Amino acid sequence: MPEGTELVGPVVTLRRVDAAADAAALFAALDDDRVWEHLAGRPADPAGLEATLRDRADRLGWHQWLVTGTRDGEVLGTSSYLEVSAPDARLEVGATGYCPGVWASDVNPAAKLLLLGHAFEVLGAGRVQLKTDVRNTRSQQAIARLGATSEGVLSRYQRRADGTVRDTAMFSVTAEQWPGVRDGLHARLGAAR
């Protein structure tokens, strides 16, 4: 992603995370045990989050986005492109966390509309996948409401922060499905106004 890339919508604005500049505000937004229940490695303080953000920034194929309110600039959370594979025209949208105050609001669908739109319409993706811990039913419901297709469960997919092994619920949106998903998200966001 080129430096300075911003995705701007009426509800949220997304820009690349700057670990040093954004860690304190992002830590404050995400400083709730419920946010980290299904995310690995809750940092103890802003410095710990900054280290995590720097580590992610160094990983090949991981692009982190800071999600802010378009009107007020308030830091609401983060989401990422991960496992980006340009030769395969695919990527994953994940590592998403929002402050609980915006859960079940139009923030997530608005952010995903921008992320999916950029993936399909600018980056030329043929497939975007979204996955979550099979125990995270709130996230599965949110992904399904976006219009993503459930592809089933990947058994024993990865380790959780507590060392147990998780099964992963997999969803996707393909380039062929994107116009319908996009229209559904626009209608959903329009109805929320």
Side-chain angles (χ1 to χ4, degrees):
M1 223 61 49
E3 284 297 319
T5 300
E6 270 195 343
L7 309 180
V8 181
V11 176
V12 295
T13 297
L14 286 76
R15 68 165 171 77
R16 242 183 154 166
V17 167
D18 177 326
D22 298 328
L26 188 55
F27 181 84
L30 304 180
D31 190 20
D32 187 304
D33 287 338
R34 295 172 295 170
V35 173
W36 296 94
E37 184 178 2
H38 298 288
L39 293 174
R42 180 177 184 178
D45 53 32
L49 181 58
E50 182 178 345
T52 297
L53 295 172
R54 287 185 189 285
D55 177 60
R56 289 178 179 172
D58 290 340
R59 293 185 197 173
L60 186 62
W62 192 312
H63 306 278
Q64 301 169 99
W65 299 93
L66 185 74
V67 180
T68 62
T70 296
R71 292 188 188 111
D72 60 11
E74 179 184 2
V75 174
L76 304 173
T78 184
S79 195
S80 299
Y81 285 158
L82 11 138
E83 298 186 23
V84 175
S85 177
D88 298 314
R90 68 172 164 77
L91 59 87
E92 178 180 332
V93 171
T96 300
Y98 299 115
C99 61
V102 301
W103 289 359
S105 73
D106 54 357
V107 167
N108 186 54
K112 294 305 191 293
L113 177 62
L114 292 171
L115 289 168
L116 292 167
H118 190 73
F120 288 115
E121 297 164 14
V122 176
L123 302 178
R127 170 190 170 84
V128 174
Q129 66 186 32
L130 304 98
K131 63 183 191 264
T132 188
D133 191 316
V134 75
R135 298 185 309 185
N136 190 347
T137 56
R138 185 180 56 78
S139 180
Q140 290 177 60
Q141 292 166 354
I143 293 169
R145 282 193 309 270
L146 296 173
T149 300
S150 173
E151 295 185 328
V153 174
L154 304 173
S155 300
R156 299 187 56 81
Y157 187 77
Q158 70 190 69
R159 293 254 176 226
R160 295 183 182 101
D162 66 4
T164 61
V165 180
R166 89 175 203 184
D167 294 340
T168 295
M170 179 70 78
F171 295 82
S172 71
V173 178
T174 64
E176 295 77 13
Q177 295 166 325
W178 169 237
V181 170
R182 179 189 57 220
D183 292 350
L185 286 169
H186 278 296
R188 179 176 168 190
L189 291 166
R193 303 255 139 238

